[in-house]
Each structure stands twice: as C-alpha cells, then as structure tokens.
Amino acid sequence: EVKLLESGGGLVQPGGSLRLSCAASGFTFTDFYMSWIRQPPGKAPEWLGVIRNKANGYTTEYNPSVKGRFTISRDNTQNILYLQMNTLRAEDTAIYYCARGWEPVDYWGQGVMVTVSS
Amino acid sequence: DVVMTQTPVSLSVSLGGQVSISCRSSQSLVHNNGNTYLSWYLQKPGQSPQLLIYKVSNRFSGISDRFSGSGSGTDFTLKISRVEPDDLGVYYCGQGTQYPNTFGAGTKLELK
C-alpha cells in the first residue's frame, strides 16, 4: 500500500524558514517522480515543483511562483522527500501535500498545514 | 502558465443521476510526444485529492466505470453516471503538458 506521510508544518513568522518532510513507503521510491503541491484553505491546489526519479537524474522543476525560495530534495536511502521553504510570506499559508508522480499525481499524502503569520 | 477554466462552479444532482463537468485550457494540451496530459481529481470533504482519470480518458486503478473522461486539444469533459453519495465533493482538472502544472478552480458536486 502506498503511504505518504508529511511532517514539519506549523506556525512561522514572515521571513522565516521551514522544512517539510514526507516519508514514503509501499513502493520503490527511486523509480518515481515526487511532487509538492499546496492548497490554500478553500482554494484550488497549486503545484510547487517536482524532483525526477533515478533514471532521470533526480533533477528538479519549480513553479516560478516559488522558484528561488523553495527547494525540493530527496533522501533515497531513507525514502524521504523534503521541501525547504525560505523567506516565507503570508500568502504561503496553505496545506502542503507530498505526492507521488508528476502527471498524473497518483497518490497524495494527508497534507500538513503551514501558517505564516506574526 | 496554462489557465484551466472549469464550468460550472457548482452542480446539484440527484442520486442516480448523471452530470458533466467541463474543463478548458488556454493552450493546447497536446505534448510534443503526442500525449495529452489532462487529469481529473476528486477531493472529498476533509480529504486529500484523489486521482480519477489521467491522460484524458484513462481511469486510475480502482476507479468505477461510472466515471469517464473525454476531449482533446483544449476542451475536456468528465462525466459521472449513476451518481452515488460517495461521489460528492470538489472536482479538479489538472494539466501537466507544460510547466508549471496547473489546476482548474474546481467544481463542487452537491446533492439536490
């Protein structure tokens, strides 16, 4: 069974940083692209970026809306996906989902809430 | 960015009825490799989105044949037949043909 479990969310002040983690299980982690997607309360999802699989060199793509502030990485020995978020703004407040795949995204984690507020 | 426009914003349906949701993209979703990367997701209340349909018309594993996707180019449709209580929620279309991937604003399916 595919499982994706995010952690690391919480309340952070504007300008601050946060690192989210996603523990993956139930599939061969290195075979899959992995994405981060966020969803502000009551709004549509927003794709943040993707890190490719082993066969594609673990390269990354980012949404221009977060490029330069957010970094996606993965630990393929422990099957963990990361999202490093810097210079956070109020508009980054959202539920953040870890997800398997890129297009389509076939499994989503349960999400973790990130609130940016003073 | 490719803008995905969904209509209607909300839809009321009777159990057992049929509904259609439209999704239009601001650019063709046909990729250089010939594939069309258009997916449909359902977000039930309080849950994460779940994949229903990928590449326009392919049902994901375990998805009922009551769900069907169609379309090409910039116009796409999701049809749900014999609506059941578990089908209620917000439906999103999404594209992955061009970075960044983008989603529609959603269509809320409610009971009449």
Side-chain angles (χ1 to χ4, degrees):
Chain A
E1 180 190 4
V2 173
K3 288 186 178 179
L4 300 168
L5 185 62
E6 302 93 339
S7 61
L11 175 64
V12 60
Q13 292 190 337
S17 297
L18 209 56
R19 188 178 81 159
L20 305 183
S21 301
C22 170
S25 62
F27 62 100
T28 303
F29 188 61
T30 52
D31 284 351
F32 287 85
Y33 287 41
M34 297 295 296
S35 296
W36 284 99
I37 298 167
R38 70 183 177 187
Q39 187 174 30
K43 295 189 176 181
E46 178 188 22
W47 180 84
L48 299 178
V50 64
I51 186 164
R52 295 181 176 89
N53 58 7
K54 181 178 181 180
N56 289 279
Y58 303 126
T59 53
T60 53
E61 299 287 345
Y62 295 95
N63 192 319
S65 66
V66 301
K67 191 173 184 178
R69 295 193 301 127
F70 289 12
T71 302
I72 298 174
S73 59
R74 58 195 296 167
D75 181 336
N76 297 303
T77 61
Q78 296 196 68
N79 293 354
I80 300 176
L81 178 71
Y82 296 105
L83 179 67
Q84 176 67 44
M85 304 185 291
N86 298 328
T87 320
L88 284 162
R89 308 164 181 162
E91 54 265 37
D92 295 318
T93 294
I95 298 172
Y96 283 72
Y97 296 101
C98 153
R100 191 180 82 165
W102 149 67
E103 177 52 44
V105 169
D106 58 4
Y107 290 96
W108 302 55
Q110 88 289 345
V112 64
M113 186 71 201
V114 172
T115 303
V116 184
S117 174
S118 53
Chain B
D1 297 3
V2 178
V3 177
M4 306 297 287
T5 302
Q6 282 183 242
T7 54
V9 172
S10 63
L11 209 44
S12 292
V13 63
S14 300
L15 293 178
Q18 178 174 300
V19 296
S20 292
I21 300 170
S22 172
C23 176
R24 290 188 172 178
S25 57
S26 60
Q27 303 172 33
S28 172
L29 296 187
V30 180
H31 193 274
N32 290 339
N33 63 15
N35 289 315
T36 299
Y37 294 107
L38 185 284
S39 300
W40 289 96
Y41 302 87
L42 165 61
Q43 187 169 32
K44 299 177 185 177
Q47 295 186 19
S48 310
Q50 61 181 95
L51 175 65
L52 300 174
I53 302 282
Y54 64 96
K55 284 198 285 186
V56 181
S57 60
N58 296 275
R59 275 186 298 276
F60 185 52
S61 174
I63 299 303
S64 168
D65 60 4
R66 297 184 298 102
F67 294 87
S68 63
S70 63
S72 62
T74 61
D75 287 349
F76 304 92
T77 302
L78 175 70
K79 288 186 180 176
I80 312 166
S81 61
R82 305 186 304 281
V83 169
E84 299 178 357
D86 199 43
D87 300 338
L88 304 181
V90 181
Y91 289 80
Y92 296 100
C93 61
Q95 70 81 25
T97 293
Q98 185 178 123
Y99 286 122
N101 294 24
T102 49
F103 294 90
T107 295
K108 187 173 186 179
L109 184 63
E110 301 173 303
L111 270 183
K112 191 177 289 184

